[in-house]
Amino acid sequence: MNIHTVSTQPFDDQKPGTSGLRKSVTAFQTRHYLENFVQSIFDSLEGYAGSTLVVGGDGRYYNRVAIQVILKMAAANGFGRVLVGQGGILSTPAASCIIRKYQAFGGIILSASHNPGGPDGDFGIKYNIGNGGPAPEKVTEAIYARSQTIDQFKILEVADVDLDQLGAVQLGEMTVEVIDAVADYAELMQSLFDFDRIRAYLSSTAFRMSMDSMHAVTGPYAQVIFEQMLGAPAGTVVNGVPLEDFGGGHPDPNLVYAHDLVELLFGKDAPDFGAASDGDGDRNMILGQRFFVTPSDSLAVLAANATLVPGYKDGLAGIARSMPTSQAPDRVAAALGIDCYETPTGWKFFGNLLDAGKATLCGEESFGTGSNHVREKDGLWAVLFWLNVLAVRQESVEAIVTEHWKTYGRNYYSRHDYEEVASEPAHQLMDNLRSLVPTLKGKVYGTYEVDYGDDFSYTDPVDGSISKKQGIRIGFTDGSRIVFRLSGTGTKGATLRLYLESYEADPTKQGLDPQDALGDLIAIAHEMAQIKALTGRDQPTVIT
Ligand code: G16
């Protein structure tokens, strides 16, 4: 065996963010940049000799190159077997499913999620642990610490593996198995949902749907599940071929970037149901005919209807949502008599709750929904969950959501993003708020009185670990909230996120445009944070 030990020098910017290390492709192409990070992952792990690693990515530019490097490094570092998706493809939830099913030691997922791809786009790498979920902070911190002192990496000198050919090949003493990327995941979906009922519903002439895979990783999964297994008409899945640059698009399923789908669902002769997923297949957007379901409402509605779905027919142990997600799911949890956990942003914070059986469904405002079936959020799972509920209730998406609001009240919700602002004033803005908010209790802004203000800190109820400085919360006495955070997934400058929420119990007042309903809170947020003075922007770049 020809194992090379190569000398290297640390890079000072390899600190994983909200979800792994995300940088421009050009940064990853810097000599030894990828190798350093991969070796830092391996050096932070213990006891993996001879065990199985899962590797795959969302198919973006540099995916295949990076996979070859990772395979050769895994062989040189003593893994016994690597399972890799055919063509180097694995959606993030499918990778999680495969890690769990084959009891792998862990997995490496290559994706920058919803960030654009291509030679001038972004790339990313994250490590998932043996439960199938994103590495918790103590692991990502260890990886970062190692990356700061690394002086060598190990790699096997060997020819590339043919990633398109299913089957096993030997790489030194390690076996590489190129596996079907879709089969295990599709089987898991079939075990959770009533495929017969959904198939009957999809074949009724009265129901039409469109699934936009945005030229990203879910295309092959969606074609197999919706068109082959569930018999939806050919063409139900659009943009279904994964492209290295996502067709030049921004594979982020929201009202701005999934505009083709939005136009279709809000246009003449619109289908009844529309959905989109992101670069690596963990996010989802749900649309009804001329109707947008906010991700927070989606989690609440799925929780309230969970017992209609075979995989959840015995009810939920609990619900978990990230802190900036609206409090709509809390109201369902209260009605069901179960706990609702509020965690920092980042799917990794749900892992312990799911493992301990404290939560069954989890969700985030950032278009992520999932359950204990894997340890990642799962875009197609959410679409299937909605389809199963629709097939049972035989009502429109709009009817189901407005009925939900009548029962639980409506949490008006919106997120305003200020993308690519200068980093220093953005941090200044957060520092200013950090000193301001403890002084706000009792202060009155128009009709709103401040109930509390803090910088969110989370103590994990399972392992007691504490995560501080997770975002500024300002809560008002009527339950409304304003939240400020800096994104942990951007790659240029800083992205300021402003999250706004108010509560309306009266069904006659639940039909407003959220931007109107939240108008006063938006003005208060601008006044408190001095957004224009500090960022130079008076309008957000993206509103969802
Ligand atoms: C990642 C995380 C999510 C998080 C989202 C946005 O999603 O897994 O938990 O909500 O980023 O994070 P931020 O607000 O820090 O940008 P994804 O789909 O990008 O992997």
Side-chain angles (χ1 to χ4, degrees):
M1 268 213 308
N2 205 356
I3 295 177
H4 287 218
T5 300
V6 183
S7 297
T8 189
Q9 307 240 313
F11 295 92
D12 63 8
D13 65 347
Q14 296 201 321
K15 192 176 176 61
T18 308
S19 180
L21 184 69
R22 285 189 196 165
K23 299 282 173 195
S24 64
V25 167
T26 47
F28 271 100
Q29 286 169 328
T30 309
R31 190 162 175 266
H32 295 173
Y33 193 87
L34 173 70
E35 290 86 343
N36 273 20
F37 193 71
V38 173
Q39 189 66 52
S40 300
I41 295 174
F42 293 158
D43 288 351
S44 315
L45 307 175
E46 272 173 24
Y48 61 75
S51 66
T52 300
L53 183 72
V54 172
V55 177
D58 63 11
R60 68 178 59 224
Y61 184 81
Y62 209 57
N63 193 44
R64 284 173 179 264
V65 177
I67 288 178
Q68 298 293 351
V69 170
I70 292 165
L71 293 178
K72 292 170 193 176
M73 289 185 66
N77 280 276
F79 276 94
R81 179 170 76 142
V82 171
L83 303 178
V84 57
Q86 189 176 23
I89 294 280
L90 281 181
S91 77
T92 288
S96 183
C97 157
I98 288 165
I99 293 169
R100 293 169 68 76
K101 180 167 176 179
Y102 297 100
Q103 295 174 355
F105 188 88
I108 293 181
I109 304 176
L110 303 158
S111 171
S113 187
H114 52 288
N115 296 14
D120 301 321
D122 287 339
F123 191 72
I125 173 167
K126 64 174 183 160
Y127 180 69
N128 279 28
I129 59 175
N131 74 352
E137 278 193 328
K138 64 175 189 305
V139 177
T140 55
E141 276 159 17
I143 295 170
Y144 175 57
R146 179 63 190 139
S147 77
Q148 296 310 288
T149 56
I150 190 164
D151 57 5
Q152 59 179 45
F153 64 85
K154 283 199 255 176
I155 188 159
L156 186 70
E157 197 183 285
V158 66
D160 283 358
V161 172
D162 181 352
L163 295 175
D164 298 306
Q165 181 68 42
L166 288 176
V169 292
Q170 212 53 31
L171 216 57
E173 289 174 9
M174 186 183 87
T175 308
V176 177
E177 283 179 39
V178 179
I179 59 170
D180 183 319
V182 177
D184 293 306
Y185 176 81
E187 188 186 293
L188 177 61
M189 293 302 109
Q190 202 167 11
S191 74
L192 296 171
F193 300 107
D194 189 342
F195 269 37
D196 290 339
R197 199 152 187 172
I198 299 173
R199 191 180 305 109
Y201 193 57
L202 286 176
S203 68
S204 72
T205 46
F207 184 80
R208 286 182 304 139
M209 77 171 269
S210 180
M211 168 73 216
D212 190 345
S213 286
M214 302 188 84
H215 286 304
V217 79
T218 62
Y221 296 85
Q223 267 153 0
V224 168
I225 293 171
F226 297 120
E227 297 187 6
Q228 293 173 28
M229 298 170 79
L230 291 169
T236 296
V237 179
V238 296
N239 300 323
V241 178
L243 299 175
E244 286 200 330
D245 66 349
F246 309 116
H250 198 133
D252 198 358
N254 61 36
L255 293 173
V256 177
Y257 295 123
H259 40 78
D260 291 351
L261 184 77
V262 174
E263 262 173 42
L264 181 69
L265 268 289
F266 282 80
K268 259 178 137 178
D269 194 29
D272 304 280
F273 181 68
S277 54
D278 72 330
D280 61 331
D282 55 3
R283 296 186 176 204
N284 74 91
M285 177 171 71
I286 301 294
L287 300 174
Q289 203 175 60
R290 285 178 281 286
F291 194 84
F292 166 61
V293 186
T294 69
S296 304
D297 278 347
S298 181
L299 174 63
V301 170
L302 298 187
N305 288 278
T307 52
L308 303 179
V309 173
Y312 307 91
K313 67 176 187 331
D314 297 332
L316 309 175
I319 306 174
R321 63 162 174 84
S322 67
M323 181 273 281
T325 302
S326 97
Q327 298 161 100
D330 306 36
R331 296 183 180 274
V332 178
L336 294 173
I338 57 176
D339 287 329
C340 186
Y341 297 88
E342 183 176 43
T343 62
T345 293
W347 203 264
K348 59 189 171 218
F349 292 103
F350 294 135
N352 279 349
L353 297 171
L354 293 165
D355 283 352
K358 289 180 177 293
T360 309
L361 296 193
C362 307
E364 296 187 283
E365 50 66 38
S366 56
F367 294 82
T369 335
S371 87
N372 58 356
H373 68 291
V374 290
R375 293 293 180 274
E376 289 277 5
K377 54 191 186 274
D378 189 344
L380 293 181
W381 168 91
V383 178
L384 286 163
F385 205 128
W386 266 96
L387 282 175
N388 202 147
V389 170
L390 290 169
V392 174
R393 289 190 49 172
Q394 307 265 331
E395 291 168 81
S396 71
V397 172
E398 179 172 2
I400 289 173
V401 177
T402 48
E403 179 63 33
H404 184 95
W405 292 338
K406 269 190 209 146
T407 310
Y408 297 95
R410 177 174 183 184
N411 289 71
Y412 280 109
Y413 188 81
S414 185
R415 185 175 104 184
H416 291 196
D417 292 336
Y418 295 80
E419 296 177 319
E420 293 184 32
V421 298
S423 192
E424 207 185 306
H427 282 96
Q428 184 65 54
L429 182 149
M430 292 301 288
D431 286 344
N432 294 351
L433 284 170
R434 218 163 267 130
S435 9
L436 176 73
V437 289
T439 68
L440 292 181
K441 188 173 169 57
K443 212 166 165 204
V444 174
Y445 292 83
T447 56
Y448 294 95
E449 182 184 337
V450 177
D451 185 23
Y452 65 88
D454 63 10
D455 192 350
F456 181 57
S457 169
Y458 176 66
T459 304
D460 186 301
V462 179
D463 66 14
S465 59
I466 298 173
S467 304
K468 293 185 178 159
K469 290 184 151 188
Q470 296 296 323
I472 303 290
R473 303 190 294 183
I474 299 132
F476 297 91
T477 49
D478 69 346
S480 303
R481 288 198 314 172
I482 297 174
V483 172
F484 295 91
R485 272 184 73 244
L486 294 184
S487 158
T489 56
T491 56
K492 293 189 195 98
T495 293
L496 172 68
R497 301 207 197 282
L498 163 62
Y499 311 81
L500 304 134
E501 174 182 5
S502 69
Y503 180 68
E504 181 55 71
D506 179 353
T508 65
K509 296 182 185 157
Q510 290 174 349
L512 296 180
D513 179 326
Q515 302 311 315
D516 296 333
L518 297 165
D520 290 346
L521 286 174
I522 294 170
I524 295 169
H526 275 259
E527 183 190 329
M528 279 181 181
Q530 294 295 302
I531 295 177
K532 176 146 192 228
L534 280 158
T535 67
R537 308 265 185 89
D538 56 2
Q539 289 299 323
T541 22
V542 177
I543 295 182
T544 47

